[in-house]
Amino acid sequence: DSKVKEIIAPGSCIEICSTRIEDGVVRGLLTSGGYISLFSSLGKASIAGSRGGAVGAAASKIGSGQMFAMPVPLGTYQNLQDGLVITSGVSSTSPMITKLKKDACAEIVETRVEDGRVRGRIQSVIYGGATTEANGFINLFEPKYRWAKIVSFKGGRPVNSQANGSSGNGNGGNASTAGK
């Protein structure tokens, strides 16, 4: 049995650096230290009894299991504001490379959490039908603000119009959001 290190608020942005399976529960090692329950094929009561409580966030049911954090999918994101800054590094204070126009799309190939917000590493920018290679990072979202929304998952599968951009498949990055 492990002790609760901290309670993560629902909707928080967290970064997972590795995962492991313990007794039917997928656990993620946070970059800040400590483990979080990501998914369980067990019932909620079983997790609370065997792990000292889940993350403190309400779980969403996936089949017969429960999901406690949602991966941030890789794919094409559409910029929601004019002048979204592309920086040279993962930090939002890294040197600026350029700015994206509103409605430009960026191919996100990696996600990271920096200062409570999810940032995406871009590989290319699509605007006005033209694709340009790009290398840098942009803000995607934080718990109360969104700079970009996903429009297609890695591999080209379009996003259902009812999706909110914070769930889905295709996660090859490290960022997740704690369950709501």
Side-chain angles (χ1 to χ4, degrees), residues 23-39:
D23 303 322
V25 178
V26 177
R27 310 265 294 153
L29 176 60
L30 298 167
T31 54
S32 60
Y35 280 87
I36 179 175
S37 295
L38 300 174
F39 177 81

Side-chain angles (χ1 to χ4, degrees), residues 109-174:
V109 295
E110 174 187 0
T111 57
R112 300 292 301 267
V113 175
E114 178 74 18
D115 294 329
R117 67 180 54 148
V118 175
R119 296 193 28 95
R121 184 170 65 85
I122 63 175
Q123 184 174 47
S124 61
V125 174
I126 307 149
Y127 188 74
T131 302
T132 307
E133 284 189 31
N135 190 17
F137 285 82
I138 61 171
N139 291 332
L140 297 176
F141 64 89
E142 59 186 25
K144 296 186 185 218
Y145 191 79
R146 181 173 301 276
W147 287 270
K149 68 177 182 177
I150 190 158
V151 293
S152 68
F153 296 112
K154 182 178 178 181
R157 185 171 56 89
V159 175
N160 178 327
S161 62
Q162 296 173 349
N164 67 7
S166 64
S167 64
N169 297 324
N171 182 30
N174 302 341

Side-chain angles (χ1 to χ4, degrees), residues 77-84 99-105 125-128 147 149:
Y77 282 75
Q78 180 181 19
N79 180 20
L80 299 175
Q81 67 176 30
D82 198 32
L84 179 61
K99 293 181 179 182
L100 289 179
K101 294 181 179 184
K102 185 175 182 182
D103 295 326
C105 291
V125 174
I126 307 149
Y127 188 74
W147 287 270
K149 68 177 182 177

Side-chain angles (χ1 to χ4, degrees), residues 4 6-12 14 26-28 30 35-39 44 47-48 51-59 67-69 177-179:
V4 174
E6 67 180 295
I7 302 294
I8 299 172
S12 296
I14 57 175
V26 177
R27 310 265 294 153
L30 298 167
Y35 280 87
I36 179 175
S37 295
L38 300 174
F39 177 81
K44 190 173 182 179
I47 295 170
R51 298 282 167 233
V55 181
M67 186 167 279
F68 298 97
T177 56

